[in-house]
Coordinates of all heavy atoms in Angstrom, one line a residue:
A1 N 0.6 -20.9 -42.8 CA 1.9 -21.1 -43.5 C 3.0 -20.3 -42.9 O 2.7 -19.3 -42.2 CB 1.9 -20.9 -45.0
D2 N 4.2 -20.9 -42.9 CA 5.4 -20.1 -42.3 C 6.0 -19.2 -43.3 O 6.7 -18.2 -42.9 CB 6.4 -21.2 -41.8 CG 5.8 -22.0 -40.7 OD1 5.8 -21.6 -39.5 OD2 5.3 -23.0 -40.9
D3 N 6.0 -19.5 -44.6 CA 6.6 -18.7 -45.6 C 6.0 -19.1 -47.0 O 5.3 -20.1 -47.1 CB 8.2 -19.0 -45.6 CG 8.9 -17.8 -46.3 OD1 8.3 -16.8 -46.8 OD2 10.2 -17.9 -46.4
Y4 N 6.4 -18.4 -48.0 CA 5.9 -18.7 -49.3 C 7.0 -18.4 -50.3 O 7.9 -17.5 -50.0 CB 4.6 -17.9 -49.6 CG 4.9 -16.4 -49.5 CD1 5.3 -15.6 -50.6 CD2 4.6 -15.7 -48.4 CE1 5.6 -14.2 -50.6 CE2 4.9 -14.3 -48.3 CZ 5.4 -13.6 -49.4 OH 5.6 -12.3 -49.3
I5 N 6.8 -18.8 -51.6 CA 7.7 -18.6 -52.6 C 6.8 -18.5 -53.9 O 6.0 -19.4 -54.1 CB 8.9 -19.6 -52.8 CG1 9.9 -19.1 -53.8 CG2 8.4 -21.0 -53.1 CD1 11.1 -20.0 -53.8
V6 N 7.1 -17.5 -54.8 CA 6.3 -17.3 -55.9 C 6.8 -18.1 -57.1 O 8.1 -18.0 -57.3 CB 6.2 -15.9 -56.3 CG1 5.4 -15.6 -57.5 CG2 5.6 -15.1 -55.1
K7 N 6.0 -18.8 -57.8 CA 6.3 -19.5 -59.0 C 6.4 -18.4 -60.2 O 5.6 -17.5 -60.3 CB 5.3 -20.6 -59.5 CG 5.2 -21.7 -58.5 CD 4.2 -22.7 -59.0 CE 4.0 -23.9 -58.2 NZ 2.9 -24.8 -58.7
P8 N 7.3 -18.7 -61.1 CA 8.4 -19.6 -61.2 C 9.5 -19.2 -60.3 O 9.7 -18.0 -60.1 CB 8.9 -19.6 -62.6 CG 8.6 -18.3 -63.1 CD 7.3 -17.8 -62.4
F9 N 10.2 -20.1 -59.7 CA 11.2 -19.9 -58.7 C 12.5 -20.6 -59.1 O 12.5 -21.5 -60.0 CB 10.8 -20.4 -57.3 CG 10.5 -21.8 -57.3 CD1 11.5 -22.8 -57.2 CD2 9.1 -22.2 -57.3 CE1 11.0 -24.1 -57.0 CE2 8.7 -23.4 -57.3 CZ 9.7 -24.5 -57.1
I10 N 13.6 -20.1 -58.6 CA 14.9 -20.8 -58.9 C 15.2 -21.7 -57.7 O 14.8 -21.3 -56.6 CB 16.0 -19.8 -59.2 CG1 16.2 -18.8 -57.9 CG2 15.8 -19.0 -60.4 CD1 17.5 -17.9 -58.1
L11 N 15.9 -22.7 -57.9 CA 16.1 -23.7 -56.8 C 16.9 -23.1 -55.6 O 16.6 -23.4 -54.5 CB 17.0 -24.8 -57.3 CG 17.3 -26.0 -56.3 CD1 16.0 -26.7 -56.0 CD2 18.3 -27.0 -56.9
E12 N 17.8 -22.2 -55.9 CA 18.6 -21.6 -54.8 C 17.8 -20.8 -53.9 O 18.0 -20.9 -52.7 CB 19.7 -20.7 -55.5 CG 20.8 -21.4 -56.2 CD 20.5 -21.9 -57.6 OE1 19.4 -21.6 -58.0 OE2 21.3 -22.5 -58.2
E13 N 16.8 -20.1 -54.3 CA 15.9 -19.4 -53.5 C 15.0 -20.4 -52.6 O 14.8 -20.2 -51.4 CB 14.9 -18.5 -54.3 CG 14.0 -17.7 -53.3 CD 13.1 -16.8 -54.0 OE1 13.0 -16.8 -55.3 OE2 12.3 -16.1 -53.3
L14 N 14.6 -21.4 -53.3 CA 13.7 -22.5 -52.6 C 14.5 -23.0 -51.5 O 14.1 -23.1 -50.3 CB 13.3 -23.5 -53.5 CG 12.5 -24.7 -52.9 CD1 11.2 -24.3 -52.2 CD2 12.3 -25.9 -53.9
V15 N 15.8 -23.5 -51.7 CA 16.6 -24.0 -50.7 C 17.0 -23.0 -49.6 O 17.0 -23.4 -48.4 CB 17.9 -24.6 -51.4 CG1 19.0 -25.0 -50.2 CG2 17.7 -25.7 -52.3
A16 N 17.3 -21.8 -50.0 CA 17.5 -20.8 -48.9 C 16.3 -20.6 -48.0 O 16.5 -20.6 -46.7 CB 17.8 -19.5 -49.6
R17 N 15.1 -20.6 -48.5 CA 13.9 -20.4 -47.7 C 13.7 -21.7 -46.8 O 13.2 -21.7 -45.7 CB 12.7 -20.1 -48.6 CG 12.7 -18.7 -49.2 CD 11.4 -18.4 -50.0 NE 11.6 -17.1 -50.6 CZ 11.1 -16.0 -50.0 NH1 10.6 -16.1 -48.7 NH2 11.1 -14.8 -50.6
M18 N 13.9 -22.8 -47.4 CA 13.8 -24.1 -46.7 C 14.7 -24.1 -45.5 O 14.4 -24.5 -44.3 CB 14.1 -25.3 -47.6 CG 13.1 -25.6 -48.5 SD 13.6 -26.9 -49.8 CE 14.3 -28.2 -48.7
K19 N 16.0 -23.7 -45.7 CA 17.0 -23.7 -44.7 C 16.6 -22.7 -43.6 O 16.8 -23.0 -42.3 CB 18.4 -23.3 -45.3 CG 18.9 -24.4 -46.0 CD 20.4 -24.0 -46.6 CE 21.1 -25.2 -47.3 NZ 22.4 -24.8 -47.8
A20 N 16.1 -21.6 -44.0 CA 15.6 -20.6 -43.0 C 14.5 -21.2 -42.1 O 14.6 -21.0 -40.9 CB 15.1 -19.3 -43.6
L21 N 13.6 -21.9 -42.6 CA 12.5 -22.5 -41.9 C 13.1 -23.6 -40.9 O 12.6 -23.8 -39.8 CB 11.4 -23.0 -42.8 CG 10.6 -22.0 -43.5 CD1 9.5 -22.7 -44.4 CD2 9.9 -21.1 -42.5
L22 N 14.0 -24.4 -41.6 CA 14.5 -25.6 -40.8 C 15.4 -25.1 -39.6 O 15.7 -25.8 -38.7 CB 15.3 -26.4 -41.7 CG 14.5 -27.3 -42.7 CD1 15.3 -27.9 -43.7 CD2 13.6 -28.3 -42.0
R23 N 15.8 -23.8 -39.7 CA 16.6 -23.2 -38.6 C 15.7 -22.8 -37.4 O 16.1 -22.4 -36.4 CB 17.5 -22.1 -39.0 CG 18.7 -22.5 -39.8 CD 19.7 -21.4 -39.9 NE 19.2 -20.2 -40.6 CZ 19.3 -20.0 -41.9 NH1 20.0 -21.0 -42.7 NH2 18.8 -18.9 -42.5
R24 N 14.4 -22.8 -37.7 CA 13.5 -22.3 -36.7 C 12.5 -23.4 -36.2 O 11.2 -23.3 -36.2 CB 12.5 -21.2 -37.3 CG 13.3 -20.1 -37.7 CD 12.5 -18.9 -38.3 NE 11.3 -19.3 -38.9 CZ 10.6 -18.6 -39.8 NH1 11.1 -17.4 -40.2 NH2 9.6 -19.0 -40.4
P25 N 13.0 -24.6 -35.7 CA 12.2 -25.6 -35.2 C 11.5 -25.2 -33.8 O 11.9 -24.2 -33.3 CB 13.1 -26.8 -35.0 CG 14.4 -26.2 -34.8 CD 14.4 -24.9 -35.6
K26 N 10.7 -26.0 -33.4 CA 10.0 -25.7 -32.1 C 11.0 -25.6 -30.9 O 10.9 -24.8 -30.1 CB 8.9 -26.8 -31.8 CG 7.8 -26.9 -32.8 CD 6.9 -28.1 -32.5 CE 6.2 -28.0 -31.2 NZ 5.3 -29.1 -31.0
Q27 N 12.0 -26.5 -31.0 CA 13.1 -26.4 -30.0 C 14.3 -26.0 -30.8 O 14.7 -26.6 -31.9 CB 13.3 -27.8 -29.3 CG 12.1 -28.1 -28.5 CD 12.4 -29.4 -27.9 OE1 13.3 -30.3 -28.1 NE2 11.5 -29.8 -26.8
S28 N 15.1 -25.1 -30.3 CA 16.3 -24.6 -31.0 C 17.3 -25.7 -31.1 O 17.6 -26.3 -30.2 CB 16.9 -23.4 -30.3 OG 17.9 -22.9 -30.9
L29 N 17.7 -25.9 -32.3 CA 18.7 -26.9 -32.6 C 20.1 -26.2 -32.9 O 20.1 -25.3 -33.8 CB 18.4 -27.8 -33.8 CG 17.1 -28.6 -33.5 CD1 16.7 -29.5 -34.8 CD2 17.2 -29.6 -32.3
P30 N 21.2 -26.5 -32.3 CA 22.4 -25.9 -32.5 C 23.0 -26.3 -33.9 O 22.8 -27.4 -34.5 CB 23.3 -26.4 -31.4 CG 22.8 -27.7 -31.1 CD 21.3 -27.6 -31.2
V31 N 23.8 -25.3 -34.5 CA 24.4 -25.6 -35.7 C 25.6 -26.6 -35.6 O 25.8 -27.4 -36.4 CB 24.9 -24.3 -36.4 CG1 25.8 -24.5 -37.6 CG2 23.7 -23.4 -36.8
E32 N 26.3 -26.4 -34.5 CA 27.4 -27.3 -34.2 C 27.1 -28.4 -33.2 O 26.5 -28.1 -32.1 CB 28.6 -26.5 -33.7 CG 29.9 -27.3 -33.5 CD 31.1 -26.5 -33.2 OE1 31.7 -26.0 -34.1 OE2 31.5 -26.4 -32.0
L33 N 27.2 -29.6 -33.6 CA 26.9 -30.7 -32.8 C 28.2 -31.4 -32.4 O 29.1 -31.5 -33.2 CB 26.0 -31.7 -33.6 CG 24.7 -31.0 -34.2 CD1 24.0 -32.0 -35.1 CD2 23.8 -30.6 -33.1
K34 N 28.2 -32.0 -31.2 CA 29.4 -32.5 -30.7 C 29.2 -33.8 -29.8 O 28.2 -33.6 -28.9 CB 30.3 -31.5 -30.0 CG 31.7 -32.0 -29.6 CD 32.6 -30.9 -29.1 CE 34.0 -31.4 -28.8 NZ 34.9 -30.3 -28.3
I35 N 30.0 -34.8 -29.9 CA 29.9 -35.8 -28.9 C 31.3 -36.4 -28.9 O 32.0 -36.7 -29.9 CB 28.9 -37.0 -29.3 CG1 28.9 -38.1 -28.2 CG2 29.2 -37.5 -30.7 CD1 27.8 -39.1 -28.3
G36 N 31.9 -36.4 -27.6 CA 33.4 -36.8 -27.5 C 34.2 -35.8 -28.2 O 34.0 -34.6 -28.2

């Protein structure tokens, strides 16, 4: 596993941990995206 959260949890913590994991994909994805 990449991370864990202990029950009971609050939604804000769950979302924060999700976002932290989603910022660490196999290939780095930039926060700012641009075309034209």
